[in-house]
Amino acid sequence: MILAFAQLSNMVKLSIIIPTYNISSYIVECLSSVVPQLTDECELTIVDDCSTDDTVATIKKYLGKRKHTLIVNSKNSGVSHSRNVGMIKSTGKYLAFIDGDDRVTPIYISTILEALKLERDYYEMSWRSFGTENKTWIAGHLKKSNTSVWCRVFKRNIILYLFDENRSTGEDTKFLRENINVDLTKGLISDIMYEYRRGRPGSLITTYREKG
């Protein structure tokens, strides 16, 4: 699907998009790692895909009167749709994605904002896994690049195509293939920025894929 962003007059520097679905037991841990870091230069957009548990109520309780965006999809449509809605509704010059059952490190936002001063088209970030597997991946030191969007930050104006909502697997890979090319400038962030949860039954990715 080709993307046509509206011209935005009041853009923040960074939009962080979090898709959620039936993760009431994990979403507070995720938000607690992100929300305290927010500054006037960034915004948080949460898109819930019609969770059937207490995810939405948990998010609302945690956020309270904070000025963040919570969007509940009108019907269960999958993680790609939620990410697309988040991109379209957000206003940031740069876009970052966090899965709602993962978390970020305490330097996530400050390090990204500092890196954005270089005005690269996109950035790759270092990350580590936790849970049933504990490994570390350093950006720029991998023989095979990770194809997930959550370890990258994208300049809004390089994104020409939305996530494919008809795919149940490989949606991140296709998104990167359609939007990233050799002519774009890339920045590398060597600090550990993202923490990816391994081994949770019914994880966000697994759950979305099972729904097809």
Side-chain angles (χ1 to χ4, degrees), residues 3 39 131 133 160 179:
L3 175 61
T39 72
E133 180 184 64
L160 302 177
N179 292 296

Side-chain angles (χ1 to χ4, degrees), residues 128-205:
R128 61 183 168 222
S129 60
F130 69 102
T132 58
E133 180 184 64
N134 296 279
K135 293 185 178 180
T136 299
W137 288 261
I138 304 300
H141 293 271
L142 302 177
K143 292 182 179 179
K144 184 178 181 181
S145 180
N146 183 292
T147 57
S148 298
V149 295
W150 44 253
C151 59
R152 291 173 171 83
V153 180
F154 306 89
K155 183 180 284 187
R156 177 181 291 268
N157 65 11
I158 74 164
I159 298 177
L160 302 177
Y161 296 90
L162 292 166
F163 288 93
D164 186 345
E165 298 180 13
N166 295 315
R167 294 178 71 102
S168 58
T169 61
E171 58 276 3
D172 285 22
T173 301
K174 184 178 182 184
F175 179 84
L176 293 177
R177 186 173 63 247
E178 291 181 332
N179 292 296
I180 300 297
N181 62 69
V182 295
D183 295 325
L184 299 177
T185 57
K186 178 174 71 174
L188 297 175
I189 300 177
S190 59
D191 294 311
I192 302 298
M193 304 286 282
Y194 195 95
E195 296 183 328
Y196 170 64
R197 188 185 302 273
R198 283 281 196 179
R200 180 178 74 81
S203 69
L204 184 63
I205 293 176

Side-chain angles (χ1 to χ4, degrees), residues 35-50:
V35 172
Q37 300 186 48
L38 292 173
T39 72
D40 291 339
E41 293 184 280
C42 51
E43 66 179 3
L44 176 64
T45 300
I46 305 167
V47 184
D48 186 78
D49 196 25
C50 292

Side-chain angles (χ1 to χ4, degrees), residues 30-39 62 66 109:
C30 176
L31 294 177
S32 294
S33 74
V34 180
V35 172
Q37 300 186 48
L38 292 173
T39 72
Y62 178 84
R66 295 183 180 93
I109 288 179

